[in-house]
Amino acid sequence: MTGDTIINSSDTVLLRANGLTKIFGTLKACDDVDLVIARGEIHALLGENGAGKSTLVKMLFGALQPTSGSIAWKGEAVTIPSPSVGRTLGIGMVFQHFSLFDALTAAENIALSIDEATPIGMIAEKARQIGKAYGLPVDPDALVGDLSVGERQRIEIIRCLLQNPDLIILDEPTSVLTPQEAELLFVTLERLRSEGKSILYISHRLEEVRQLCDRATVLRHGKVVGECNPREQTANSLARMMVGGDIHRVEREPLAADAAAAKAALIEVKGLSQRPTGPFSVALHDIGFTVHAGEILGIAGVAGNGQSELFEAVSGERLQERPDIIRIRDNDAGRQGISARRKLGAAFVPEERLGHGAVPDMSLSDNLLLSRHATDRKVFTSGGVLKLISASSLTSAARRIISRMDVRKSAENPDASALSGGNLQKFLIGRELDRNPSVLVVNQPTWGVDAGAAAHIRQALVDLARGGSAVIVISQDLDELFEISDRIAAMVHGRLSDSVPIEEMNMERVGMMMGGADHSAPEAA
Amino acid sequence: MMRIEIIRRPQHSALFSALSPFIALLLTLLAGAVLFAILGKNPVAALYSYFVEPLTEIWSIHELLIKAAPLILIAVGLSVCFLSNNWNIGAEGQFIAGGVAGSILPVVFPDFQGWYVLPVMLVLGMAGGMAYAAIPALLKTRFNTNEILTSLMLVYVAQLFLDWLVRGPWRNPQGYNFPETIQFNSSAILPEIWTASGRAHWGFVLALLAALLVWFMLSRMLSGYEIKVLGRSARAGRFAGFSAGRLTFFAFLISGALAGLAGISEVSGAVGQLRPSISPGYGFTAIIVAFLGRLNPLGIIAAGLVLALTYLGGEAAQISLGISEKSARIFQGMVLFFILASDTLIYYRIRIVSRSVETAAKGA
């Protein structure tokens, strides 16, 4: 709306999409979407999960064909039947989930995506040059498996830049970065903009969109519901546009200063070290923490610093060497499996929903049994040693969770894989909350979950803690940790820092801790 | 220019999951007709004598049940293995191990006679199959060995062991040097179901019973749930607190027991003695039965009857058409081939694209 006069002149318009519509069965994923991207701008694409952002982007990139509507590229009508055609036109994409081979070097990975046969040495040299020019330092000869997530993202971006694109699409690029790494990325993006390249920037972090982007298009339920200059908006007004209403703010009473220490320690971890489980897994070094009744411990850290390994150790998917390394409600649990730990009152929600927290092609009620068959044996099974599954009590429990967590679904009892990420996560967290556990360990609770659902989940976690449970939240989302935690610790290279009370914490300090630089933290509370 | 693409469906198709076996059977019949035509036979008449004629006479239906019994027993056990992601290819060997172990009593101690002989034989047969199946399970859980290779190789060990037994220590001293054991005494023979009309023995009833029990376990019991969870996602299974190693043993032991039971039933019910070869490849054909039956024990009953028909049809074709009974193997192979191909349609749909779209875009 602000830039209408400029963007209508044809030589400044890079891409213009008119009435793009994509129908999947009965679902209109994109409904008559108009989008104009000017040369040399960073254009934000905002919207909740399921708003149609990725469908729209896939059509622009050639991974999906629109049901109707047209795309004009540099003033000429085009159809983009495949991503390779998109690349030839000059549209590059950096995905949220990297498509890199761990066992190959950075240069070899780049070579794989280049059509012509170019010697690997030349590619490495070019990658080094581009890296230097755009502030993306990376060693082309390093094995990808050894690189941090931020470095892997740089490889993806370099790979994209090698094709010399005019439009670069970035899908949630900062969701895997530390605040400091994100700042570096912004410098790169601004340099690209100054060269006249355009960037389509998908993100749900509204503050960074305000800081970085020139214009924003907001999608809701597949339709464009607004265009604006994000610099003239507040994070709140952007969020309202995305959700179409006010977002619930998490209500959280601060803990009384000495209340936590006085209350019972529900989970204690002490001297937890373990060797890596595979070539790309992280070793844990002497991890220790205690969480008391009523409090939430937030564990920050960039992905791949041992969070999943810590989760598997605490959950009992991997056992410890000695029983007293992990104590749950004053019981030595280090040598007990996950079912026994659940019986002690602990509950777990892993990061990966499909294939870890749930079986993709099983129904929700069947998936309910996954984590509950041992703790709720009397409710869900009958017939003594035969352990007959009681389908009716599973269905009614699933229904209870679905209504309590407001899980939206298309069928009565759909397969887990048929749910959107956010709705499945609500179900998986609801599955554990339904037991009212005394200890809850959750890894990335709102990863890829839309704002409304995320607020719902965070409030549920806070309520559980304030009801007298101990909650451990492992998350890469710092805003989330600041919103709900009572104490925050950070993981780096398989070590866990001491935890710092939320009152003494700020972004800069947590960023330092995530980088492994903070040694000034006081002893754990 | 046209191009065929296969595109992943967002959700697996229940329709094609049910339809796939029938598509496969139809394609098998069509391919069979082509094959007969190439051989210079009238395809319609040939298919009739292959697949319909054996069903027109009572004695022949008895033969069908005799052939179906081991196929169903073995395939039901294999369904537990395959559902739990344990690829037991060695049922043929476990069948032989069961046949041998169950024959200890009538061959080595022929003087033991009485009502208790048969139950002991059946139990020994199951134990033999279990013990033999435990080897690949142990190798897999202990040393991470590929069970496809170990279970398959053990088939040949079992075959040669049986061969050695019947030519050596267990050979009938009064058998004119034929490689056979003595004939089982009457209390060691699995009786016929309905003597007046044909030879079918109680093995078929055992097969039905096994199918029903395993179906009940898979669909109603927590252990069945455990099998399905671990088979579909090992990591989710670990999260549920299920042990993959324990399940590997469970699956191999149950399928070994059923293959062993099939082995001793065949020896005691249909053959009446041990010979160098006691199976026309039941252990391998049962793999096809298991997949054609959708790894569902009730579906396996139907699939077992269908595959049994190929054996009968092969024999009939040898007599009436003059083609080798080995043609049965061709039909079995085609069923497996087509069912695996048709199963693609469960997860993928086929799209035909014309090239012109792409070239137009490149021109832009």
Side-chain angles (χ1 to χ4, degrees), chain A residues 14-28:
Chain A
L14 181 67
L15 179 138
R16 180 192 297 276
N18 270 326
L20 276 189
T21 302
K22 179 71 189 178
I23 300 175
F24 295 109
T26 56
L27 175 81
K28 264 192 183 174

Side-chain angles (χ1 to χ4, degrees), chain A residues 248-371:
Chain A
H248 170 82
R249 282 214 49 88
V250 172
E251 291 160 22
R252 171 179 165 275
E253 297 164 29
L255 272 186
D258 52 347
K263 280 194 180 165
L266 293 183
I267 180 163
E268 298 169 76
V269 175
K270 174 166 88 221
L272 167 62
S273 300
Q274 73 181 23
R275 275 191 283 276
T277 44
F280 303 116
S281 132
V282 177
L284 299 180
H285 304 283
D286 194 25
I287 285 177
F289 58 82
T290 302
V291 190
H292 302 90
E295 64 171 352
I296 297 185
L297 170 68
I299 296 181
V302 174
N305 273 292
Q307 292 97 323
S308 330
E309 288 81 0
L310 175 64
F311 179 87
E312 292 198 345
V314 174
S315 70
E317 286 166 274
R318 199 163 169 208
L319 300 183
Q320 284 67 56
E321 284 163 6
R322 293 192 320 275
D324 62 337
I325 290 179
I326 291 184
R327 292 174 58 78
I328 297 171
R329 288 172 64 212
D330 291 329
N331 295 286
D332 287 343
R335 297 296 301 163
Q336 304 204 356
I338 186 165
S339 288
R341 293 184 195 193
R342 286 192 177 114
K343 284 189 188 160
L344 289 176
F348 312 97
V349 181
E351 172 182 12
E352 217 171 302
R353 287 150 210 164
L354 292 174
H356 191 178
V359 182
D361 49 358
M362 275 194 177
S363 68
L364 289 186
S365 63
D366 278 352
N367 268 304
L368 173 57
L369 197 56
L370 199 67
S371 72

Side-chain angles (χ1 to χ4, degrees), chain A residues 17-294:
Chain A
N18 270 326
L20 276 189
T21 302
K22 179 71 189 178
I23 300 175
F24 295 109
T26 56
L27 175 81
K28 264 192 183 174
C30 275
D31 187 359
D32 196 20
V33 171
D34 295 336
L35 176 73
V36 176
I37 298 173
R39 286 178 200 269
E41 73 165 350
I42 302 184
H43 191 117
L45 190 57
L46 295 174
E48 290 200 274
N49 268 14
K53 289 176 309 212
S54 25
T55 308
L56 175 60
V57 163
K58 279 181 185 162
M59 288 192 286
L60 298 180
F61 184 59
L64 278 177
Q65 298 310 306
T67 311
S68 65
S70 62
I71 299 171
W73 175 252
K74 296 177 181 170
E76 280 181 69
V78 287
T79 44
I80 309 171
S82 72
S84 69
V85 177
R87 273 197 292 272
T88 338
L89 288 174
I91 302 174
M93 169 112 198
V94 177
F95 289 96
Q96 186 181 3
H97 303 286
F98 307 141
S99 41
L100 298 172
F101 294 96
D102 280 351
L104 298 182
T105 67
E108 284 165 344
N109 265 289
I110 294 171
L112 280 176
S113 67
I114 293 178
D115 298 334
E116 316 91 71
T118 316
I120 204 91
M122 255 169 81
I123 290 175
E125 187 46 42
K126 253 174 126 177
R128 208 170 271 130
Q129 278 170 15
I130 288 186
K132 218 173 204 171
Y134 292 99
L136 297 162
V138 86
D139 173 11
D141 302 320
L143 275 186
V144 166
D146 297 333
L147 298 179
S148 75
V149 184
E151 287 170 311
R152 292 179 200 207
Q153 186 180 52
R154 284 178 213 148
I155 299 172
E156 286 270 358
I157 295 175
I158 290 173
R159 175 154 92 174
C160 179
L161 290 176
L162 269 173
Q163 318 266 353
N164 203 19
D166 296 304
L167 172 65
I168 300 158
I169 305 173
L170 292 163
D171 189 3
E172 304 258 355
T174 56
S175 62
V176 293
L177 303 180
T178 64
Q180 284 84 352
E181 283 177 314
E183 287 299 330
L184 282 177
L185 174 70
F186 297 159
V187 174
T188 303
L189 296 183
E190 270 158 16
R191 191 166 306 164
L192 287 167
R193 167 169 59 188
S194 70
E195 288 182 2
K197 296 198 188 293
S198 307
I199 292 161
L200 184 60
Y201 190 86
I202 304 172
S203 180
H204 66 267
R205 294 193 171 172
L206 302 170
E207 280 302 336
E208 68 187 34
V209 166
R210 289 187 55 228
Q211 179 193 341
L212 186 70
C213 299
D214 305 299
R215 283 189 321 120
T217 299
V218 185
L219 289 179
R220 189 181 342 130
H221 301 315
K223 288 194 174 109
V224 176
V225 292
E227 280 176 48
C228 60
N229 179 342
R231 297 198 175 99
E232 295 166 1
Q233 305 283 330
T234 64
N236 235 330
S237 65
L238 287 174
R240 266 204 301 280
M241 257 200 250
M242 277 165 57
V243 183
D246 282 311
I247 294 190
H248 170 82
R249 282 214 49 88
V250 172
E251 291 160 22
R252 171 179 165 275
E253 297 164 29
L255 272 186
D258 52 347
K263 280 194 180 165
L266 293 183
I267 180 163
E268 298 169 76
V269 175
K270 174 166 88 221
L272 167 62
S273 300
Q274 73 181 23
R275 275 191 283 276
T277 44
F280 303 116
S281 132
V282 177
L284 299 180
H285 304 283
D286 194 25
I287 285 177
F289 58 82
T290 302
V291 190
H292 302 90

Side-chain angles (χ1 to χ4, degrees), chain B residues 322-345:
Chain B
I323 36 183
S324 161
E325 58 159 351
K326 291 282 188 291
S327 59
R329 292 286 181 88
I330 296 179
F331 273 99
Q332 292 165 3
M334 286 197 295
V335 171
L336 183 63
F337 176 82
F338 285 122
I339 188 124
L340 293 178
S342 310
D343 276 357
T344 311
L345 292 172

